[in-house]
Amino acid sequence: MIITRTPFRISFFGGGTDYPAWYLEHGGLVLATTIDKYCYITCRHLPPFFEHKHRIVYSHIENVREIAEIQHPAVRAVLDCLKVEDGLEIHHDGDLPARSGLGSSSSFTVGLLHAICALRGQYVSKDELASQAIYVEQKVIRENVGSQDQISAAFGGLNRIEFRQNDSFDVAPVITAPDRLADLQGHLMLFFTGVSRIASEVAKAKIDNLKNRVVELKAMHAMVDEAIAVLQDRQTPITAFGELLDRSWQLKRSLSDRVSTPEIDALYSAAREAGATGGKIIGAGGGGFLLLFVRPEYQARVRERLHGLVHVPFKFENSGSRVVLYQPNGL
């Protein structure tokens, strides 16, 4: 039996420039971190004593004879791509809701790839794990997704992720003083709006509009290094990071009329009135989690103003996808 633990991520800046339709022409750049909320995949060899060959347990339970019968698109695609022949039992558990903007779908794909490779006794590098997940989601399932989520899930940590026009990527950990990083974390608040959505559908509207948002996307690209400079310069107030988040959110909202909603705009305005410096909806938009940058002395006031939302405390994490239980029994 294998259990993998794969983190969810928060993307700060550059989201939208990680779509192949954009970066293959212009290049892309993202600043993102993983957090201590995880997707767990349990995978084991299924003994041949049942009518079904594969058992997949998530929000539904599937008992099937053939891979082609599997309804879960990522499970079906991964098992097919890895040419799995023997029966498997796969269980999924997550710390946070799916379809909420924290890269949960990619964490699932990365975690499942990692689990099956580990069950086979195969080592897979972080780079290979990310690349395989990108291939599965973009080429096999053909979802309208970017390329940052899979990389963050595989590598872990706070990273500057560059996407090159030749379809390669580079992951550079952001080096900053531990107390500066702790200061950033202490200013961040995460709230669940209660709205789940299909990220691929929201993303498609943005992708279709990329050619009309060149100025905005290039400005969002530039904010990545501007934000890193804030983190690395102790003379710059950390609140400058929050101000950048606000500027970035205004640009992100312009990418598509599906990124925000009147309800999200009202929540964001309420948070700002209560003391938030800036923030954004995490992920493609349309719902999910609202990230806010709030000075510590205003955080109680913001929680009270957004009392109808679930506040989710979190910490940064650096491990990326990991095998947390390894009991090989063959595949």
Side-chain angles (χ1 to χ4, degrees):
M1 177 182 290
I2 297 292
I3 300 178
T4 58
R5 187 188 74 178
T6 306
F8 297 145
R9 66 94 185 97
I10 286 175
S11 177
F12 291 119
F13 298 99
T17 71
D18 66 312
Y19 293 118
W22 173 264
Y23 67 72
L24 291 177
E25 182 176 354
H26 303 279
L29 194 62
V30 168
L31 176 63
T33 187
T34 47
I35 62 174
D36 62 345
K37 308 300 176 189
Y38 302 95
C39 162
Y40 296 88
I41 301 292
T42 302
C43 185
R44 75 181 184 103
H45 177 71
L46 190 65
F49 306 124
F50 308 99
E51 292 185 2
H52 55 273
K53 184 174 182 179
H54 302 291
R55 178 175 172 82
I56 303 99
V57 181
Y58 50 110
S59 56
H60 301 284
I61 298 177
E62 296 191 51
N63 297 314
V64 301
R65 291 292 304 170
E66 304 291 337
I67 291 174
E69 299 176 78
I70 298 173
Q71 296 300 305
H72 194 294
V75 176
R76 185 177 64 248
V78 168
L79 267 58
D80 189 51
C81 285
L82 294 182
K83 296 179 170 51
V84 171
E85 295 182 356
D86 293 338
L88 288 181
E89 182 169 19
I90 298 165
H91 285 247
H92 164 258
D93 295 285
D95 287 335
L96 296 174
R99 300 193 299 274
S100 56
L102 296 176
S104 57
S105 295
S106 294
S107 294
F108 180 96
T109 304
V110 168
L112 181 57
L113 285 164
H114 202 174
I116 294 176
C117 288
L119 196 60
R120 288 173 163 174
Q122 298 172 344
Y123 168 77
V124 57
S125 69
K126 293 179 181 294
D127 187 275
E128 185 180 1
L129 193 55
S131 296
Q132 286 182 353
I134 290 170
Y135 175 79
V136 166
E137 293 187 358
Q138 294 180 358
K139 304 299 184 182
V140 181
I141 307 176
R142 297 189 177 279
E143 290 188 335
N144 297 301
V145 296
S147 302
Q148 64 162 308
D149 294 357
Q150 306 88 340
I151 296 169
S152 283
F155 280 81
L158 175 64
N159 297 305
R160 179 187 188 273
I161 307 172
E162 182 175 3
F163 301 94
R164 302 192 182 94
Q165 291 165 277
N166 65 0
D167 207 16
S168 65
F169 61 83
D170 179 70
V171 181
V174 175
I175 307 302
T176 188
D179 60 334
R180 187 70 164 175
L181 198 60
D183 197 16
L184 171 64
Q185 182 174 280
H187 280 76
L188 296 176
M189 304 182 75
L190 192 63
F191 292 89
F192 183 49
T193 65
V195 178
S196 296
R197 76 288 178 274
I198 306 299
S200 183
E201 296 175 359
V202 180
K204 185 178 186 305
K206 290 199 294 186
I207 293 170
D208 290 344
N209 201 35
L210 290 179
K211 63 181 180 298
N212 299 318
R213 292 292 181 264
V214 173
V215 172
E216 291 86 348
L217 285 162
K218 287 188 174 181
M220 294 168 72
H221 182 291
M223 285 181 180
V224 171
D225 285 335
E226 193 174 346
I228 292 173
V230 168
L231 294 178
Q232 295 178 335
D233 182 5
R234 291 175 178 272
Q235 303 305 312
T236 302
I238 195 68
T239 50
F241 194 95
E243 293 163 1
L244 270 177
L245 277 175
D246 180 61
R247 285 168 47 197
S248 177
W249 171 240
Q250 303 310 324
L251 290 171
K252 181 176 178 177
R253 289 177 71 255
S254 72
L255 298 182
S256 163
D257 59 7
R258 299 194 63 179
V259 170
S260 191
T261 65
E263 292 76 17
I264 290 171
D265 289 342
L267 290 171
Y268 186 72
S269 294
R272 292 269 285 165
E273 290 169 4
T277 305
K280 59 177 290 189
I281 285 289
I282 301 296
F289 280 87
L290 174 64
L291 176 72
L292 295 171
F293 185 99
V294 188
R295 290 166 59 178
E297 60 266 31
Y298 295 145
Q299 291 185 5
R301 194 161 70 186
V302 170
R303 277 195 299 270
E304 174 59 28
R305 192 65 181 271
L306 302 182
H307 65 274
L309 305 185
V310 178
H311 174 227
V312 182
F314 69 91
K315 294 181 180 179
F316 298 151
E317 77 92 61
N318 296 302
S319 64
S321 186
R322 295 180 58 189
V323 174
V324 294
L325 176 67
Y326 178 52
Q327 295 179 341
N329 59 353
L331 180 59

PDB file of all heavy atoms in Angstrom, residues 220-251:
ATOM      1  N   MET A 220       0.717  41.851 -15.171  1.00  0.00           N
ATOM      2  CA  MET A 220       0.649  40.815 -14.140  1.00  0.00           C
ATOM      3  C   MET A 220       1.944  40.014 -14.096  1.00  0.00           C
ATOM      4  O   MET A 220       2.405  39.612 -13.022  1.00  0.00           O
ATOM      5  CB  MET A 220      -0.555  39.910 -14.410  1.00  0.00           C
ATOM      6  CG  MET A 220      -1.896  40.634 -14.261  1.00  0.00           C
ATOM      7  SD  MET A 220      -3.305  39.713 -14.906  1.00  0.00           S
ATOM      8  CE  MET A 220      -3.470  38.419 -13.679  1.00  0.00           C
ATOM      9  N   HIS A 221       2.544  39.794 -15.253  1.00  0.00           N
ATOM     10  CA  HIS A 221       3.842  39.126 -15.360  1.00  0.00           C
ATOM     11  C   HIS A 221       4.899  39.922 -14.595  1.00  0.00           C
ATOM     12  O   HIS A 221       5.676  39.377 -13.801  1.00  0.00           O
ATOM     13  CB  HIS A 221       4.193  39.001 -16.843  1.00  0.00           C
ATOM     14  CG  HIS A 221       5.477  38.297 -17.143  1.00  0.00           C
ATOM     15  ND1 HIS A 221       6.713  38.836 -16.845  1.00  0.00           N
ATOM     16  CD2 HIS A 221       5.720  37.092 -17.738  1.00  0.00           C
ATOM     17  CE1 HIS A 221       7.663  38.008 -17.245  1.00  0.00           C
ATOM     18  NE2 HIS A 221       7.090  36.939 -17.778  1.00  0.00           N
ATOM     19  N   ALA A 222       4.930  41.239 -14.800  1.00  0.00           N
ATOM     20  CA  ALA A 222       5.938  42.099 -14.177  1.00  0.00           C
ATOM     21  C   ALA A 222       5.794  42.143 -12.658  1.00  0.00           C
ATOM     22  O   ALA A 222       6.774  42.353 -11.928  1.00  0.00           O
ATOM     23  CB  ALA A 222       5.849  43.509 -14.755  1.00  0.00           C
ATOM     24  N   MET A 223       4.577  41.944 -12.165  1.00  0.00           N
ATOM     25  CA  MET A 223       4.340  42.021 -10.715  1.00  0.00           C
ATOM     26  C   MET A 223       5.023  40.900  -9.950  1.00  0.00           C
ATOM     27  O   MET A 223       5.262  41.027  -8.738  1.00  0.00           O
ATOM     28  CB  MET A 223       2.835  41.991 -10.434  1.00  0.00           C
ATOM     29  CG  MET A 223       2.136  43.292 -10.742  1.00  0.00           C
ATOM     30  SD  MET A 223       0.374  43.193 -10.347  1.00  0.00           S
ATOM     31  CE  MET A 223      -0.149  44.838 -10.804  1.00  0.00           C
ATOM     32  N   VAL A 224       5.360  39.810 -10.607  1.00  0.00           N
ATOM     33  CA  VAL A 224       6.020  38.698  -9.924  1.00  0.00           C
ATOM     34  C   VAL A 224       7.358  39.149  -9.347  1.00  0.00           C
ATOM     35  O   VAL A 224       7.631  38.993  -8.142  1.00  0.00           O
ATOM     36  CB  VAL A 224       6.210  37.507 -10.882  1.00  0.00           C
ATOM     37  CG1 VAL A 224       7.093  36.440 -10.232  1.00  0.00           C
ATOM     38  CG2 VAL A 224       4.862  36.911 -11.271  1.00  0.00           C
ATOM     39  N   ASP A 225       8.201  39.714 -10.178  1.00  0.00           N
ATOM     40  CA  ASP A 225       9.515  40.145  -9.689  1.00  0.00           C
ATOM     41  C   ASP A 225       9.397  41.358  -8.769  1.00  0.00           C
ATOM     42  O   ASP A 225      10.217  41.540  -7.860  1.00  0.00           O
ATOM     43  CB  ASP A 225      10.440  40.445 -10.863  1.00  0.00           C
ATOM     44  CG  ASP A 225      10.954  39.168 -11.530  1.00  0.00           C
ATOM     45  OD1 ASP A 225      11.003  38.123 -10.851  1.00  0.00           O
ATOM     46  OD2 ASP A 225      11.288  39.212 -12.725  1.00  0.00           O
ATOM     47  N   GLU A 226       8.383  42.177  -8.977  1.00  0.00           N
ATOM     48  CA  GLU A 226       8.149  43.303  -8.078  1.00  0.00           C
ATOM     49  C   GLU A 226       7.804  42.792  -6.678  1.00  0.00           C
ATOM     50  O   GLU A 226       8.287  43.326  -5.673  1.00  0.00           O
ATOM     51  CB  GLU A 226       7.015  44.177  -8.632  1.00  0.00           C
ATOM     52  CG  GLU A 226       6.891  45.528  -7.968  1.00  0.00           C
ATOM     53  CD  GLU A 226       5.852  46.422  -8.630  1.00  0.00           C
ATOM     54  OE1 GLU A 226       5.412  46.112  -9.753  1.00  0.00           O
ATOM     55  OE2 GLU A 226       5.481  47.437  -8.000  1.00  0.00           O
ATOM     56  N   ALA A 227       6.972  41.759  -6.622  1.00  0.00           N
ATOM     57  CA  ALA A 227       6.595  41.182  -5.325  1.00  0.00           C
ATOM     58  C   ALA A 227       7.788  40.517  -4.651  1.00  0.00           C
ATOM     59  O   ALA A 227       7.973  40.629  -3.428  1.00  0.00           O
ATOM     60  CB  ALA A 227       5.465  40.171  -5.524  1.00  0.00           C
ATOM     61  N   ILE A 228       8.612  39.811  -5.416  1.00  0.00           N
ATOM     62  CA  ILE A 228       9.802  39.172  -4.853  1.00  0.00           C
ATOM     63  C   ILE A 228      10.757  40.226  -4.300  1.00  0.00           C
ATOM     64  O   ILE A 228      11.356  40.050  -3.225  1.00  0.00           O
ATOM     65  CB  ILE A 228      10.487  38.292  -5.917  1.00  0.00           C
ATOM     66  CG1 ILE A 228       9.595  37.091  -6.258  1.00  0.00           C
ATOM     67  CG2 ILE A 228      11.853  37.809  -5.420  1.00  0.00           C
ATOM     68  CD1 ILE A 228      10.095  36.253  -7.416  1.00  0.00           C
ATOM     69  N   ALA A 229      10.889  41.346  -5.000  1.00  0.00           N
ATOM     70  CA  ALA A 229      11.745  42.433  -4.512  1.00  0.00           C
ATOM     71  C   ALA A 229      11.244  42.961  -3.178  1.00  0.00           C
ATOM     72  O   ALA A 229      12.034  43.291  -2.281  1.00  0.00           O
ATOM     73  CB  ALA A 229      11.794  43.558  -5.554  1.00  0.00           C
ATOM     74  N   VAL A 230       9.916  43.044  -3.015  1.00  0.00           N
ATOM     75  CA  VAL A 230       9.348  43.489  -1.739  1.00  0.00           C
ATOM     76  C   VAL A 230       9.750  42.518  -0.631  1.00  0.00           C
ATOM     77  O   VAL A 230      10.155  42.926   0.473  1.00  0.00           O
ATOM     78  CB  VAL A 230       7.812  43.585  -1.827  1.00  0.00           C
ATOM     79  CG1 VAL A 230       7.198  43.754  -0.437  1.00  0.00           C
ATOM     80  CG2 VAL A 230       7.398  44.733  -2.736  1.00  0.00           C
ATOM     81  N   LEU A 231       9.649  41.222  -0.897  1.00  0.00           N
ATOM     82  CA  LEU A 231       9.963  40.222   0.117  1.00  0.00           C
ATOM     83  C   LEU A 231      11.436  40.228   0.493  1.00  0.00           C
ATOM     84  O   LEU A 231      11.792  39.929   1.638  1.00  0.00           O
ATOM     85  CB  LEU A 231       9.564  38.822  -0.376  1.00  0.00           C
ATOM     86  CG  LEU A 231       8.067  38.575  -0.580  1.00  0.00           C
ATOM     87  CD1 LEU A 231       7.841  37.161  -1.113  1.00  0.00           C
ATOM     88  CD2 LEU A 231       7.300  38.781   0.716  1.00  0.00           C
ATOM     89  N   GLN A 232      12.291  40.567  -0.452  1.00  0.00           N
ATOM     90  CA  GLN A 232      13.731  40.494  -0.206  1.00  0.00           C
ATOM     91  C   GLN A 232      14.332  41.796   0.311  1.00  0.00           C
ATOM     92  O   GLN A 232      15.499  41.818   0.704  1.00  0.00           O
ATOM     93  CB  GLN A 232      14.441  40.042  -1.485  1.00  0.00           C
ATOM     94  CG  GLN A 232      14.068  38.618  -1.888  1.00  0.00           C
ATOM     95  CD  GLN A 232      14.724  38.159  -3.178  1.00  0.00           C
ATOM     96  OE1 GLN A 232      15.087  38.985  -4.018  1.00  0.00           O
ATOM     97  NE2 GLN A 232      14.881  36.864  -3.336  1.00  0.00           N
ATOM     98  N   ASP A 233      13.569  42.862   0.311  1.00  0.00           N
ATOM     99  CA  ASP A 233      14.059  44.164   0.750  1.00  0.00           C
ATOM    100  C   ASP A 233      13.413  44.538   2.083  1.00  0.00           C
ATOM    101  O   ASP A 233      12.243  44.919   2.135  1.00  0.00           O
ATOM    102  CB  ASP A 233      13.756  45.230  -0.305  1.00  0.00           C
ATOM    103  CG  ASP A 233      14.281  46.605   0.085  1.00  0.00           C
ATOM    104  OD1 ASP A 233      14.971  46.717   1.134  1.00  0.00           O
ATOM    105  OD2 ASP A 233      14.004  47.574  -0.640  1.00  0.00           O
ATOM    106  N   ARG A 234      14.176  44.440   3.163  1.00  0.00           N
ATOM    107  CA  ARG A 234      13.632  44.728   4.489  1.00  0.00           C
ATOM    108  C   ARG A 234      13.233  46.188   4.653  1.00  0.00           C
ATOM    109  O   ARG A 234      12.474  46.528   5.557  1.00  0.00           O
ATOM    110  CB  ARG A 234      14.663  44.378   5.552  1.00  0.00           C
ATOM    111  CG  ARG A 234      14.934  42.888   5.713  1.00  0.00           C
ATOM    112  CD  ARG A 234      16.055  42.678   6.708  1.00  0.00           C
ATOM    113  NE  ARG A 234      16.327  41.280   6.948  1.00  0.00           N
ATOM    114  CZ  ARG A 234      15.728  40.535   7.864  1.00  0.00           C
ATOM    115  NH1 ARG A 234      14.788  41.078   8.627  1.00  0.00           N
ATOM    116  NH2 ARG A 234      16.051  39.275   8.032  1.00  0.00           N
ATOM    117  N   GLN A 235      13.761  47.066   3.796  1.00  0.00           N
ATOM    118  CA  GLN A 235      13.443  48.486   3.910  1.00  0.00           C
ATOM    119  C   GLN A 235      12.053  48.805   3.359  1.00  0.00           C
ATOM    120  O   GLN A 235      11.496  49.865   3.632  1.00  0.00           O
ATOM    121  CB  GLN A 235      14.498  49.314   3.159  1.00  0.00           C
ATOM    122  CG  GLN A 235      15.927  49.074   3.627  1.00  0.00           C
ATOM    123  CD  GLN A 235      16.091  49.292   5.121  1.00  0.00           C
ATOM    124  OE1 GLN A 235      15.640  50.316   5.657  1.00  0.00           O
ATOM    125  NE2 GLN A 235      16.711  48.335   5.806  1.00  0.00           N
ATOM    126  N   THR A 236      11.510  47.894   2.569  1.00  0.00           N
ATOM    127  CA  THR A 236      10.181  48.095   2.000  1.00  0.00           C
ATOM    128  C   THR A 236       9.130  47.530   2.951  1.00  0.00           C
ATOM    129  O   THR A 236       9.233  46.373   3.358  1.00  0.00           O
ATOM    130  CB  THR A 236      10.055  47.392   0.631  1.00  0.00           C
ATOM    131  OG1 THR A 236      11.062  47.888  -0.248  1.00  0.00           O
ATOM    132  CG2 THR A 236       8.684  47.634   0.023  1.00  0.00           C
ATOM    133  N   PRO A 237       8.129  48.297   3.320  1.00  0.00           N
ATOM    134  CA  PRO A 237       7.077  47.772   4.209  1.00  0.00           C
ATOM    135  C   PRO A 237       6.408  46.543   3.582  1.00  0.00           C
ATOM    136  O   PRO A 237       6.136  46.525   2.369  1.00  0.00           O
ATOM    137  CB  PRO A 237       6.097  48.936   4.327  1.00  0.00           C
ATOM    138  CG  PRO A 237       6.886  50.151   3.973  1.00  0.00           C
ATOM    139  CD  PRO A 237       7.892  49.711   2.964  1.00  0.00           C
ATOM    140  N   ILE A 238       6.143  45.541   4.388  1.00  0.00           N
ATOM    141  CA  ILE A 238       5.518  44.316   3.884  1.00  0.00           C
ATOM    142  C   ILE A 238       4.133  44.605   3.317  1.00  0.00           C
ATOM    143  O   ILE A 238       3.627  43.852   2.467  1.00  0.00           O
ATOM    144  CB  ILE A 238       5.446  43.248   4.993  1.00  0.00           C
ATOM    145  CG1 ILE A 238       5.141  41.854   4.404  1.00  0.00           C
ATOM    146  CG2 ILE A 238       4.423  43.627   6.053  1.00  0.00           C
ATOM    147  CD1 ILE A 238       6.252  41.289   3.566  1.00  0.00           C
ATOM    148  N   THR A 239       3.530  45.713   3.735  1.00  0.00           N
ATOM    149  CA  THR A 239       2.211  46.064   3.211  1.00  0.00           C
ATOM    150  C   THR A 239       2.238  46.341   1.710  1.00  0.00           C
ATOM    151  O   THR A 239       1.190  46.295   1.056  1.00  0.00           O
ATOM    152  CB  THR A 239       1.651  47.300   3.938  1.00  0.00           C
ATOM    153  OG1 THR A 239       2.634  48.338   3.941  1.00  0.00           O
ATOM    154  CG2 THR A 239       1.264  46.968   5.369  1.00  0.00           C
ATOM    155  N   ALA A 240       3.425  46.602   1.158  1.00  0.00           N
ATOM    156  CA  ALA A 240       3.539  46.804  -0.288  1.00  0.00           C
ATOM    157  C   ALA A 240       3.122  45.545  -1.042  1.00  0.00           C
ATOM    158  O   ALA A 240       2.620  45.616  -2.169  1.00  0.00           O
ATOM    159  CB  ALA A 240       4.966  47.207  -0.671  1.00  0.00           C
ATOM    160  N   PHE A 241       3.313  44.383  -0.414  1.00  0.00           N
ATOM    161  CA  PHE A 241       2.888  43.116  -1.014  1.00  0.00           C
ATOM    162  C   PHE A 241       1.370  43.096  -1.143  1.00  0.00           C
ATOM    163  O   PHE A 241       0.817  42.690  -2.174  1.00  0.00           O
ATOM    164  CB  PHE A 241       3.378  41.950  -0.159  1.00  0.00           C
ATOM    165  CG  PHE A 241       3.301  40.603  -0.821  1.00  0.00           C
ATOM    166  CD1 PHE A 241       4.396  40.070  -1.472  1.00  0.00           C
ATOM    167  CD2 PHE A 241       2.132  39.848  -0.775  1.00  0.00           C
ATOM    168  CE1 PHE A 241       4.338  38.815  -2.078  1.00  0.00           C
ATOM    169  CE2 PHE A 241       2.056  38.604  -1.362  1.00  0.00           C
ATOM    170  CZ  PHE A 241       3.156  38.084  -2.023  1.00  0.00           C
ATOM    171  N   GLY A 242       0.686  43.543  -0.097  1.00  0.00           N
ATOM    172  CA  GLY A 242      -0.774  43.595  -0.127  1.00  0.00           C
ATOM    173  C   GLY A 242      -1.297  44.580  -1.144  1.00  0.00           C
ATOM    174  O   GLY A 242      -2.314  44.326  -1.814  1.00  0.00           O
ATOM    175  N   GLU A 243      -0.623  45.700  -1.290  1.00  0.00           N
ATOM    176  CA  GLU A 243      -1.032  46.686  -2.289  1.00  0.00           C
ATOM    177  C   GLU A 243      -0.878  46.131  -3.699  1.00  0.00           C
ATOM    178  O   GLU A 243      -1.716  46.383  -4.576  1.00  0.00           O
ATOM    179  CB  GLU A 243      -0.201  47.958  -2.115  1.00  0.00           C
ATOM    180  CG  GLU A 243      -0.500  48.692  -0.802  1.00  0.00           C
ATOM    181  CD  GLU A 243       0.573  49.697  -0.435  1.00  0.00           C
ATOM    182  OE1 GLU A 243       1.548  49.843  -1.211  1.00  0.00           O
ATOM    183  OE2 GLU A 243       0.447  50.336   0.637  1.00  0.00           O
ATOM    184  N   LEU A 244       0.178  45.353  -3.903  1.00  0.00           N
ATOM    185  CA  LEU A 244       0.354  44.691  -5.196  1.00  0.00           C
ATOM    186  C   LEU A 244      -0.762  43.689  -5.467  1.00  0.00           C
ATOM    187  O   LEU A 244      -1.244  43.563  -6.603  1.00  0.00           O
ATOM    188  CB  LEU A 244       1.701  43.965  -5.242  1.00  0.00           C
ATOM    189  CG  LEU A 244       2.922  44.727  -5.744  1.00  0.00           C
ATOM    190  CD1 LEU A 244       4.159  43.835  -5.643  1.00  0.00           C
ATOM    191  CD2 LEU A 244       2.726  45.185  -7.185  1.00  0.00           C
ATOM    192  N   LEU A 245      -1.167  42.954  -4.415  1.00  0.00           N
ATOM    193  CA  LEU A 245      -2.268  42.004  -4.575  1.00  0.00           C
ATOM    194  C   LEU A 245      -3.536  42.703  -5.044  1.00  0.00           C
ATOM    195  O   LEU A 245      -4.260  42.189  -5.912  1.00  0.00           O
ATOM    196  CB  LEU A 245      -2.542  41.272  -3.262  1.00  0.00           C
ATOM    197  CG  LEU A 245      -1.671  40.068  -2.922  1.00  0.00           C
ATOM    198  CD1 LEU A 245      -2.008  39.548  -1.533  1.00  0.00           C
ATOM    199  CD2 LEU A 245      -1.835  38.961  -3.962  1.00  0.00           C
ATOM    200  N   ASP A 246      -3.806  43.866  -4.483  1.00  0.00           N
ATOM    201  CA  ASP A 246      -4.994  44.614  -4.895  1.00  0.00           C
ATOM    202  C   ASP A 246      -4.899  45.024  -6.357  1.00  0.00           C
ATOM    203  O   ASP A 246      -5.861  44.866  -7.119  1.00  0.00           O
ATOM    204  CB  ASP A 246      -5.171  45.844  -4.007  1.00  0.00           C
ATOM    205  CG  ASP A 246      -6.393  46.664  -4.406  1.00  0.00           C
ATOM    206  OD1 ASP A 246      -7.509  46.128  -4.347  1.00  0.00           O
ATOM    207  OD2 ASP A 246      -6.218  47.830  -4.804  1.00  0.00           O
ATOM    208  N   ARG A 247      -3.744  45.533  -6.761  1.00  0.00           N
ATOM    209  CA  ARG A 247      -3.558  45.926  -8.168  1.00  0.00           C
ATOM    210  C   ARG A 247      -3.713  44.724  -9.092  1.00  0.00           C
ATOM    211  O   ARG A 247      -4.340  44.802 -10.155  1.00  0.00           O
ATOM    212  CB  ARG A 247      -2.191  46.560  -8.361  1.00  0.00           C
ATOM    213  CG  ARG A 247      -2.076  47.985  -7.814  1.00  0.00           C
ATOM    214  CD  ARG A 247      -0.625  48.443  -7.763  1.00  0.00           C
ATOM    215  NE  ARG A 247       0.091  48.151  -9.005  1.00  0.00           N
ATOM    216  CZ  ARG A 247       1.425  48.144  -9.101  1.00  0.00           C
ATOM    217  NH1 ARG A 247       2.171  48.385  -8.019  1.00  0.00           N
ATOM    218  NH2 ARG A 247       2.004  47.887 -10.261  1.00  0.00           N
ATOM    219  N   SER A 248      -3.144  43.596  -8.672  1.00  0.00           N
ATOM    220  CA  SER A 248      -3.216  42.382  -9.486  1.00  0.00           C
ATOM    221  C   SER A 248      -4.656  41.892  -9.616  1.00  0.00           C
ATOM    222  O   SER A 248      -5.082  41.442 -10.686  1.00  0.00           O
ATOM    223  CB  SER A 248      -2.344  41.293  -8.857  1.00  0.00           C
ATOM    224  OG  SER A 248      -2.440  40.086  -9.583  1.00  0.00           O
ATOM    225  N   TRP A 249      -5.423  41.981  -8.515  1.00  0.00           N
ATOM    226  CA  TRP A 249      -6.817  41.541  -8.551  1.00  0.00           C
ATOM    227  C   TRP A 249      -7.627  42.387  -9.530  1.00  0.00           C
ATOM    228  O   TRP A 249      -8.460  41.862 -10.273  1.00  0.00           O
ATOM    229  CB  TRP A 249      -7.415  41.582  -7.157  1.00  0.00           C
ATOM    230  CG  TRP A 249      -8.903  41.360  -7.117  1.00  0.00           C
ATOM    231  CD1 TRP A 249      -9.861  42.193  -6.644  1.00  0.00           C
ATOM    232  CD2 TRP A 249      -9.610  40.200  -7.594  1.00  0.00           C
ATOM    233  NE1 TRP A 249     -11.106  41.642  -6.785  1.00  0.00           N
ATOM    234  CE2 TRP A 249     -10.993  40.413  -7.370  1.00  0.00           C
ATOM    235  CE3 TRP A 249      -9.210  39.005  -8.189  1.00  0.00           C
ATOM    236  CZ2 TRP A 249     -11.957  39.481  -7.718  1.00  0.00           C
ATOM    237  CZ3 TRP A 249     -10.188  38.072  -8.542  1.00  0.00           C
ATOM    238  CH2 TRP A 249     -11.533  38.318  -8.309  1.00  0.00           C
ATOM    239  N   GLN A 250      -7.391  43.674  -9.555  1.00  0.00           N
ATOM    240  CA  GLN A 250      -8.122  44.531 -10.485  1.00  0.00           C
ATOM    241  C   GLN A 250      -7.816  44.142 -11.930  1.00  0.00           C
ATOM    242  O   GLN A 250      -8.705  44.148 -12.792  1.00  0.00           O
ATOM    243  CB  GLN A 250      -7.780  46.010 -10.239  1.00  0.00           C
ATOM    244  CG  GLN A 250      -8.059  46.493  -8.818  1.00  0.00           C
ATOM    245  CD  GLN A 250      -9.459  46.144  -8.320  1.00  0.00           C
ATOM    246  OE1 GLN A 250     -10.429  46.151  -9.078  1.00  0.00           O
ATOM    247  NE2 GLN A 250      -9.565  45.830  -7.028  1.00  0.00           N
ATOM    248  N   LEU A 251      -6.564  43.790 -12.193  1.00  0.00           N
ATOM    249  CA  LEU A 251      -6.198  43.336 -13.543  1.00  0.00           C
ATOM    250  C   LEU A 251      -6.815  41.968 -13.844  1.00  0.00           C
ATOM    251  O   LEU A 251      -7.332  41.739 -14.943  1.00  0.00           O
ATOM    252  CB  LEU A 251      -4.678  43.259 -13.680  1.00  0.00           C
ATOM    253  CG  LEU A 251      -3.933  44.592 -13.704  1.00  0.00           C
ATOM    254  CD1 LEU A 251      -2.434  44.360 -13.627  1.00  0.00           C
ATOM    255  CD2 LEU A 251      -4.280  45.382 -14.977  1.00  0.00           C
TER     256      LEU A 251
END
